[in-house]
Amino acid sequence: MSLYFHLRAVPPPALRNSATWLERLFGDDSDTVQHRLDRHREEVLDKRYLDQELLYVGDPPHRAEDRPQAQVVLGGRPVFHPDRYKPPFLVLTAGQAHRVARFLTMTDFDALWVFARNELLPRYGGVTAEPDTRGIFAAAHRELTEFYTQTAACGDAVVKRLPT
């Protein structure tokens, strides 16, 4: 199982509400995943994904509101795995993915950073490490924006696989 948080674009007609099908969806080899990454059909976040969530919603994960900023990282309808010890998959409809794309393209990263920096910086080396830390989060923001923008342009849904 991957230690990374995966987001994958899926055409709505192909999407299945089955954890077994979703598990197979993420069963590709690394070359196939890299090809999808290059085409912005998949995005991968590292272990900082919970902090990336904080950047968008400013609250702990699993916020129940249906606002686009709450759907960027951990939002979506859960599809529970038969193995109760594995996390559920999260699914955003094509409409939700479109709203997230619009939110990300209209959002000022600097404003997000100012709001979250005091909580994030202590985890990443403090004020002296701010340029590097900010750069890491800004890069992830750009990558998420590209992923969701491409996904919305294709009219696709998004499936997310949480690390175990």
Side-chain angles (χ1 to χ4, degrees):
M1 180 68 63
S2 173
L3 296 175
Y4 295 93
F5 183 88
H6 289 255
L7 299 89
R8 185 168 292 175
V10 178
L15 192 60
R16 301 290 176 264
N17 191 30
S18 157
T20 303
W21 186 87
L22 294 171
E23 188 77 38
R24 281 194 307 254
L25 177 69
F26 288 95
D28 297 327
D29 61 54
S30 61
D31 290 338
T32 303
V33 171
Q34 186 59 50
H35 180 68
R36 281 197 189 98
L37 288 169
D38 292 342
R39 294 178 46 228
H40 303 295
R41 303 298 293 154
E42 182 163 340
E43 186 54 51
V44 178
L45 297 175
D46 64 13
K47 62 186 176 188
R48 296 179 193 92
Y49 73 92
L50 290 174
D51 289 334
Q52 198 73 35
E53 169 82 354
L54 176 70
L55 185 71
Y56 296 113
V57 299
D59 285 338
H62 308 298
R63 191 165 166 167
E65 294 181 33
D66 191 31
R67 299 179 315 165
Q69 59 268 38
Q71 295 177 337
V72 176
V73 179
L74 292 177
R77 176 183 51 81
V79 176
F80 294 97
H81 200 282
D83 179 347
R84 67 186 179 118
Y85 297 105
K86 291 187 178 182
F89 294 93
L90 301 172
V91 178
L92 290 179
T93 66
Q96 290 168 321
H98 179 76
R99 287 189 295 278
V100 170
R102 190 173 60 227
F103 163 76
L104 289 171
T105 57
M106 296 175 65
T107 297
D108 176 21
F109 176 79
D110 291 329
L112 293 173
W113 180 253
V114 166
F115 184 76
R117 72 180 288 280
N118 290 339
E119 192 164 342
L120 292 175
L121 284 179
R123 300 176 198 173
Y124 296 95
V127 175
T128 58
E130 183 168 6
D132 291 336
T133 304
R134 185 189 179 289
I136 290 167
F137 282 90
H141 174 75
R142 284 190 303 275
E143 291 166 3
L144 284 167
T145 301
E146 290 171 6
F147 168 76
Y148 275 110
T149 300
Q150 178 65 32
T151 300
C154 293
D156 288 342
V158 174
V159 178
K160 303 171 185 179
R161 180 182 189 187
L162 296 158
T164 54

